[in-house]
Amino acid sequence: MSEWLSPDVIASAPGRVNLIGEHIDYSQGFVLPFAISYRTTASLRRRDDQVIRVRSKQRLDDVVTSSISELAPGSQGGWERYVLGVIWSLGIKEGVDIEIDGDVPLGAGLSSSAALECAVAIGLSEMFSLGLSKKELALLTQKAENQYVGVPCGIMDQSVSLMAEAGAALLLDCRDLSTTLVPFDLGASGLELLIIDTQAHHALVDGEYAKRRQACESACTKLQIASLRDLDLATLIADRDSLNDEEFKRAHHAVSEMARTLEAVVVLRQKDFVALGRLITQSHVSLRDDYEISCAELNCAVDVALAHGALGARMVGGGFGGSAIALAGQSQIEEIKGAIAEAFKSASFREPRFFTSLPSEGAKVIKRLDR
Ligand code: GLA
């Protein structure tokens, strides 16, 4: 095997936490995520043949080799499919070597897969001078995940990984991908956003995610609307009899979550963190009871954080495991962490991991080396 030469382009992209607006990106709603400081880096080098080689800095001897003509949606494999899928969706026709590095916690629901896709995408776009906008890159990386890897995700994770800016949350309208930056400076108010990785990974995730999407779609068909974005609470309640119980509950979450997200933007601009905390907790209750995607570990983390003074707490991401967030005073964070660790121990759950992050910048090209 020929050696790895120095890269032509180095690019990086972050993971994300969603403040509020959960499971509504595929219903064309509003979401309010921010990029975290944990990032994935892709080092890319052009080849003069059709070969693709992918490896991770953590396991340098483990090289996956493929070729442009072999790229096909639905291919079997491991994490490298997220890289190959992006080469495929961007329509690259030349060979490339890609080495991946990074510190986005894996399996924690913090979008390590979007970080990987977006780092590769922005690097390829730069290296081959494709001139793709961040919106185009978001749609192409989502296409890679949907079609190549076969995960039916929405557009939120890739969009925020690409379009986020430091110091702000990103209000994303998932109908047209327009964005508004909302300043999000917790530190100045003596607050912190604690990320609690429950380390729970319930096997349900993929199938249940697809089922939630289907229930939202069948509710739309019955109500004769294009998406749940076109519904308001009063109409939903008036039309309750035309939906089954499952469709009603899923639609109720989506419609109420869209309203909460817009309200969160208003209170965030006013720096009313008590109101923000209340909305965050209401979001959790809705995800737990209407959307039914929480689990014992997530509920425990949220309940304990609230009992120890958090202003708000909720599960984040796809559900059935992964992370929760808690908004709390900086002086309370240690107590909350200790209490959650203790509660997890008594419940015989896996040991939780804790992270924190300021809102960070989105994907970028770090270096272009001329040769
Ligand atoms: C996953 C998906 C996103 C979004 C969230 C839930 O992270 O990738 O598109 O649907 O779940 O908000």
Side-chain angles (χ1 to χ4, degrees):
M1 179 166 296
S2 64
E3 61 175 318
W4 285 69
L5 300 168
S6 61
D8 295 322
V9 169
I10 303 176
S12 81
R16 63 96 188 91
V17 156
N18 189 14
L19 204 49
I20 195 161
E22 209 66 87
H23 272 271
I24 50 173
D25 56 348
Y26 51 79
S27 291
Q28 301 199 355
F30 295 97
V31 296
L32 191 61
F34 65 89
I36 53 176
S37 53
Y38 301 91
R39 302 180 75 89
T40 297
T41 302
S43 302
L44 305 91
R45 185 179 172 95
R46 280 175 104 129
R47 298 176 60 95
D48 52 14
D49 54 19
Q50 297 268 295
V51 173
I52 301 167
R53 295 190 308 169
V54 181
R55 71 175 183 182
S56 125
K57 188 122 191 240
Q58 278 69 45
R59 300 178 69 175
L60 290 180
D61 293 334
D62 224 343
V63 179
V64 177
T65 304
S66 184
S67 73
I68 295 292
S69 59
E70 277 175 54
L71 298 180
S75 305
Q76 297 301 304
W79 66 271
E80 77 283 354
R81 287 174 306 148
Y82 292 87
V83 177
L84 299 176
V86 173
I87 300 175
W88 168 80
S89 71
L90 264 61
I92 305 297
K93 297 290 175 230
E94 291 170 50
V96 56
D97 283 344
I98 303 183
E99 184 177 288
I100 301 298
D101 193 10
D103 60 4
V104 184
L106 299 178
L110 301 176
S111 274
S112 55
S113 49
L116 175 57
E117 292 155 3
C118 295
V120 170
I122 203 152
L124 288 171
S125 180
E126 172 75 14
M127 193 164 73
F128 291 108
S129 304
L130 303 180
L132 294 164
S133 68
K134 293 206 165 166
K135 188 169 158 177
E136 288 166 325
L137 287 172
L139 290 164
L140 289 167
T141 44
Q142 184 199 22
K143 181 178 169 189
E145 187 155 342
N146 288 169
Q147 297 183 24
Y148 198 96
V149 186
V151 175
C153 66
I155 192 71
M156 171 172 74
D157 303 343
Q158 293 81 1
S159 300
V160 62
S161 182
L162 287 158
M163 301 181 211
E165 303 238 349
L170 185 79
L171 176 66
L172 174 73
D173 180 343
C174 297
R175 181 140 72 181
D176 58 10
L177 298 194
S178 58
T179 58
T180 311
L181 291 168
V182 185
F184 183 45
D185 184 3
L186 290 175
S189 303
L191 298 170
E192 191 172 311
L193 195 84
L194 177 67
I195 302 168
I196 308 131
D197 172 13
T198 63
Q199 299 238 54
H201 309 286
H202 296 292
L204 299 162
V205 190
D206 286 354
E208 291 295 322
Y209 188 91
K211 272 201 217 159
R212 296 303 178 283
R213 287 193 72 147
Q214 279 155 18
C216 291
E217 279 158 26
S218 63
C220 290
T221 308
K222 290 186 184 170
L223 297 173
Q224 297 181 311
I225 50 175
S227 76
L228 293 175
R229 171 73 172 270
D230 300 323
L231 190 62
D232 58 53
L233 220 45
T235 314
L236 172 64
I237 290 166
D239 287 350
R240 183 178 189 143
D241 290 347
S242 48
L243 301 179
N244 66 34
D245 223 38
E246 184 191 357
E247 289 157 349
F248 177 80
K249 282 167 103 174
R250 308 303 185 240
H252 191 266
H253 164 72
V255 172
S256 63
E257 184 79 352
M258 287 184 208
R260 277 189 291 273
T261 305
L262 292 179
E263 215 181 316
V265 173
V266 173
V267 300
L268 196 51
R269 287 193 194 284
Q270 295 165 344
K271 297 199 177 5
D272 184 349
F273 293 111
V274 172
L276 180 67
R278 203 177 306 126
L279 290 165
I280 287 175
T281 305
Q282 284 168 4
S283 168
H284 181 74
V285 171
S286 180
L287 289 160
R288 185 191 66 197
D289 299 347
D290 276 347
Y291 228 60
E292 299 178 281
I293 55 165
S294 192
C295 63
E297 292 87 342
L298 287 166
N299 293 338
C300 175
V302 166
D303 293 345
V304 172
L306 292 173
H308 286 265
L311 296 177
R314 70 177 197 88
M315 56 152 287
V316 293
F320 303 106
S323 294
I325 53 171
L327 176 65
Q330 284 163 352
S331 57
Q332 281 159 314
I333 295 290
E334 285 312 310
E335 180 189 331
I336 292 174
K337 280 161 67 170
I340 292 175
E342 193 56 43
F344 269 47
K345 206 169 173 187
S346 344
S348 304
F349 296 154
R350 295 183 66 183
E351 195 182 337
R353 292 190 294 177
F354 299 102
F355 305 98
T356 185
S357 174
L358 294 172
S360 305
E361 65 182 332
K364 62 176 181 185
V365 172
I366 299 173
K367 229 186 228 174
R368 180 170 189 137
L369 301 112
D370 292 318
R371 61 168 156 121

